[in-house]
Amino acid sequence: MGDAENLMTRELQAATDKHGHGSPEWASAQCDLGNVLLNADQLDRAIECYRRAVSATPRDQESRKEQLTYRLNLGLALRMAGRLDEAETELRQGVQERLAFYGREHAGYAFGLEPLADLLRQRGDVVGARQVVEEAVANLWRNGHERVASALALRAAIVHAGGTSEPLFVGLHQLPDEVVEQVGRVVTDMLDHDDPASKPLLTSLVTAMEERLGIDHQATLNALSALANLGRDLGDQAGRVDAIERVLASYDRQGRQEEALTAALGLAMAQDDAGDAEAALRTYASAHARAERIGRPELRSQVLRNWGLALKEAGQVGLAEQRLTEAVNQARRGTDHDTVGQACIALGLFLQHEARLSEARTVLEEGLPVMDPVHPDAIIGRSHLGAVLDGRTCGCGDMAGTIADAFREFVITRLPADLLDRLDVAIVDGDFKIEVGLRREPTESELERLNDVFQTAHGEFRRRISEPRYAD
């Protein structure tokens, strides 16, 4: 993301120098930079880019059309930022501008109606949202536009929010398979995983997919997988187990061995979270048999690692060590570095907690160098290695210091070896504080590279660091 931002910033400057401030080309570059910033979760900066793009005066029909997109992006970004009043103002203005530009019957007009309906749904104006979305659906249906899929998905969510007994998904039998599949994707993407009301909406989608596409169609299985993930987030472990079992049965029917193995691992985790450790261990044993039949060492290692961690939690320490050791050995036979690192870290943490610090250090020091320093498991492993070096059998050491060290390593390995004299990194108030000392005067290209690397490091760490996975 940092590299993308720097590239687009340069493109904006080039467009300004060549075409002038306020030109259509300048506005286009502002929008492109806004898109990058939006994906980097820098909403306020993205909003200002879109607002500047909207401010440019169109010169012809094409630049006027592009301005409609800029305003739509502005409204969506304002909504993402929680600035709902401003978002509604921009989206309503965009609808009026689209009506004037395209006319009521053109699909381009409906493109503005759909996000307005979604915003009204979010604001609790179900009646207003229903009116707008019905117009969008009718327009896109008449035009035979594939975007009717997202409008139908939004309509289902709005009807569901209205609490009526109406069918949520209508007309699917009249649509091509690929459009029905897209309806499923849009519904799963819009779900609020903190809202229990999402479950009946998703359950209705599963039923609709089964009736229209069949129980073994991938879109149906994707909806079931989404239902399992929703069950996890809502604490509905029984529903989660049931959904995964249905997915697993389908993959077995189809002879899709690797997908079935992945589903089996998910089932074991769900059973464990549901408090049925015995069922989880049985599922891990069957998953291991599946991995043996497939024969790929990376898959064997993954199963053995998860199985070993579950055995440890179940108090079967001896068997846990066997499985975790086997996981490392299998990973070494494969070609995936992350698999080796993850297996070593899992075994290293186990050995640390068993007070076998020398062995733990050896395994952790094998696993860490082969992993990307911002991989979540690498962060965990590095932190626990710090505790091992301090002679502690539990605790993960100084996590903030570990993350800062990983950030430092990420930067140093991407710069000329003779450029930096020192690089001090600390985490203060939830952000990185950085002090840099240079050995020599950098060239212009080196200075640009230095800035790019720091921007990338910020983006990578903020997006990829997650909570520790291994409990002490």
Side-chain angles (χ1 to χ4, degrees):
M1 286 297 170
D3 289 342
E5 179 186 338
N6 290 326
L7 176 61
M8 281 313 310
T9 300
R10 292 195 295 270
E11 288 300 305
L12 173 60
Q13 187 59 54
T16 305
D17 293 343
K18 184 175 182 179
H19 301 285
H21 186 282
S23 65
E25 295 82 2
W26 171 85
S28 178
Q30 287 283 4
C31 180
D32 289 340
L33 177 56
N35 292 340
V36 170
L37 293 170
L38 190 72
N39 284 299
D41 297 325
Q42 299 187 46
L43 291 177
D44 289 341
R45 292 180 62 196
I47 287 167
E48 291 312 308
C49 286
Y50 294 138
R51 202 180 294 281
R52 285 192 286 268
V54 169
S55 72
T57 302
R59 293 179 181 172
D60 50 30
Q61 285 292 94
E62 185 60 31
S63 57
R64 186 182 172 199
K65 180 179 176 181
E66 290 174 349
Q67 191 178 52
L68 297 174
T69 299
Y70 306 153
R71 190 175 299 282
L72 178 60
N73 289 354
L74 174 59
L76 294 174
L78 287 164
R79 176 189 169 186
M80 291 175 65
R83 295 159 61 175
L84 301 187
D85 287 341
E86 295 175 78
E88 184 171 342
T89 297
E90 296 295 339
L91 291 175
R92 286 191 181 280
Q93 183 172 342
V95 164
Q96 294 305 312
E97 291 173 351
R98 285 173 178 273
L99 179 60
F101 184 83
Y102 289 111
R104 191 171 297 276
E105 300 303 314
H106 194 281
Y109 169 59
F111 291 174
L113 291 172
E114 189 181 333
L116 175 59
D118 202 11
L119 176 67
L120 295 174
R121 175 182 72 97
Q122 181 181 352
R123 305 200 76 176
D125 182 4
V126 177
V127 173
R130 179 73 182 268
Q131 180 181 355
V132 175
V133 80
E134 292 290 4
E135 185 177 5
V137 168
N139 176 302
L140 294 166
W141 194 284
R142 285 194 306 271
N143 282 288
H145 199 287
E146 63 180 10
R147 191 157 169 174
V148 73
S150 59
L152 284 170
L154 177 58
R155 178 191 179 279
I158 291 170
V159 172
H160 173 62
T164 71
S165 59
E166 298 175 66
L168 301 187
F169 297 95
V170 296
L172 298 188
H173 63 285
Q174 302 177 51
L175 298 172
D177 287 1
E178 59 270 18
V179 177
V180 177
E181 294 167 21
Q182 180 65 13
V183 171
R185 285 192 290 269
V186 175
V187 171
T188 55
D189 286 345
M190 71 168 56
L191 291 172
D192 181 353
H193 282 238
D194 295 322
D195 184 2
S198 295
K199 183 178 178 180
L201 173 61
L202 187 51
T203 302
S204 295
L205 174 69
V206 170
T207 301
M209 295 290 109
E210 289 177 336
E211 292 175 352
R212 171 62 179 79
L213 299 172
I215 60 175
D216 291 330
H217 194 283
Q218 190 59 54
T220 304
L221 300 179
N222 290 344
L224 278 169
S225 297
L227 186 60
N229 291 334
L230 182 65
R232 177 199 61 207
D233 296 338
L234 295 177
D236 177 17
Q237 302 301 343
R240 176 186 177 194
V241 167
D242 176 71
I244 299 174
E245 286 178 337
R246 292 163 67 182
V247 172
L248 176 57
S250 174
Y251 286 141
D252 279 338
R253 283 194 297 270
Q254 299 177 65
R256 297 169 63 179
Q257 295 186 58
E258 292 199 14
E259 291 91 341
L261 174 59
T262 299
L265 289 175
L267 176 59
M269 294 175 65
Q271 290 167 330
D272 201 16
D273 290 344
D276 194 347
E278 290 185 6
L281 293 177
R282 288 195 299 270
T283 302
Y284 277 123
S286 68
H288 182 249
R290 292 173 183 272
E292 289 287 316
R293 289 193 294 270
I294 296 171
R296 286 179 51 202
E298 293 88 354
L299 294 178
R300 290 177 177 174
S301 178
Q302 181 183 2
V303 173
L304 288 162
R305 183 183 74 248
N306 290 8
W307 193 6
L309 293 172
L311 285 164
K312 176 197 168 191
E313 291 300 313
Q316 300 183 40
V317 176
L319 281 175
E321 182 175 353
Q322 289 179 29
R323 299 295 180 264
L324 292 172
T325 302
E326 291 172 28
V328 173
N329 292 333
Q330 286 294 330
R332 289 169 178 156
R333 293 180 53 210
T335 59
D336 184 71
H337 290 165
D338 279 348
T339 301
V340 175
Q342 289 174 301
C344 287
I345 289 167
L347 178 57
L349 268 61
F350 171 87
L351 294 170
Q352 178 196 9
H353 298 155
E354 293 299 306
R356 294 155 62 181
L357 300 186
S358 177
E359 296 171 78
R361 175 179 178 178
T362 299
V363 178
L364 289 171
E365 288 180 341
E366 175 188 353
L368 285 170
V370 301
M371 297 188 75
D372 187 324
V374 301
H375 191 291
D377 284 8
I379 298 293
I380 297 297
R382 186 184 299 274
S383 184
H384 279 77
L385 178 59
V388 168
L389 295 175
D390 289 340
R392 288 185 280 123
T393 60
C394 62
C396 59
D398 177 11
M399 181 60 76
T402 300
I403 295 173
D405 288 343
F407 185 106
R408 182 175 181 275
E409 179 182 339
F410 183 94
V411 170
I412 288 175
T413 56
R414 287 162 173 78
L415 293 176
D418 65 337
L419 181 59
L420 295 184
D421 179 54
R422 65 181 178 83
L423 174 58
D424 299 327
V425 182
I427 297 178
V428 179
D429 296 330
D431 202 357
F432 291 102
K433 180 181 179 182
I434 300 165
E435 294 184 7
V436 181
L438 301 177
R439 291 180 178 175
R440 56 176 174 78
E441 187 73 20
T443 65
E444 183 176 344
S445 63
E446 286 175 334
L447 191 59
E448 188 173 288
R449 176 61 180 164
L450 183 68
N451 180 61
D452 289 349
V453 168
F454 275 114
Q455 291 283 349
T456 302
H458 274 281
E460 290 285 348
F461 275 82
R462 284 174 176 164
R463 293 175 68 86
R464 294 176 58 185
I465 292 176
S466 63
E467 292 297 319
R469 297 186 187 181
Y470 302 118
D472 290 316

